[in-house]
Amino acid sequence: QVQLVESGGGLVQAGGSLQLSCVASGRASTIYGAGWFRQAPGKEREFAAAVSWYGSATYYADSVKGRFTISRDNTKNTLYLQMNSLKPEDTAVYYCALRKRDGIYSNKDAYDYWGQGTQVTVSS
């Protein structure tokens, strides 16, 4: 089993930046693809970004492209999401997710493990 713990969320003004981290423990060495999703109140969980095992391939939702950067450090079993130029509409609970095979996917059903989420609130 794999456990994921996110951190780095908080309250920030519009235009500001935050970096989220997600540390994997357990049988993390078997994990390949990774992604970040977010869920705003009353809305479905939506895809934000994904990265392949070696970090060579990334994919972003149009809503965050050019502002967010996903990366990973496999030596530390850690996934990151650097968020710049934040907007009020980025307010949501952010979840990291891992899948047992490589590849980048925007479909949440493609992921096998999920963290508990970290709240990001962007004030106008």
Side-chain angles (χ1 to χ4, degrees):
Q1 189 68 302
V2 174
Q3 295 79 40
L4 305 176
V5 178
E6 301 102 331
S7 62
L11 174 64
V12 63
Q13 289 188 331
S17 298
L18 283 174
Q19 184 181 60
L20 306 183
S21 299
C22 172
V23 179
S25 61
R27 296 183 62 185
S29 62
T30 64
I31 301 303
Y32 295 95
W36 286 96
F37 290 74
R38 63 186 186 181
Q39 188 167 16
K43 295 188 175 181
E44 295 283 326
R45 189 171 300 188
E46 65 175 14
F47 169 76
V51 63
S52 61
W53 173 246
Y54 290 107
S56 57
T58 57
Y59 180 56
Y60 297 92
D62 288 343
S63 57
V64 307
K65 195 176 299 182
R67 301 187 298 121
F68 291 11
T69 302
I70 188 171
S71 62
R72 64 194 298 168
D73 185 342
N74 292 336
T75 64
K76 298 180 180 179
N77 290 331
T78 302
L79 179 70
Y80 303 98
L81 185 67
Q82 177 65 42
M83 305 185 295
N84 299 328
S85 302
L86 282 161
K87 305 174 181 179
E89 50 264 44
D90 294 319
T91 295
V93 177
Y94 283 72
Y95 298 89
C96 66
L98 302 185
R99 50 179 279 108
K100 292 187 280 189
R101 295 185 176 185
D102 203 358
I104 50 176
Y105 292 87
S106 60
N107 187 339
K108 59 182 182 294
D109 293 334
Y111 293 83
D112 301 291
Y113 303 103
W114 292 85
Q116 82 291 346
T118 184
Q119 177 70 48
V120 172
T121 303
V122 184
S123 62
S124 57

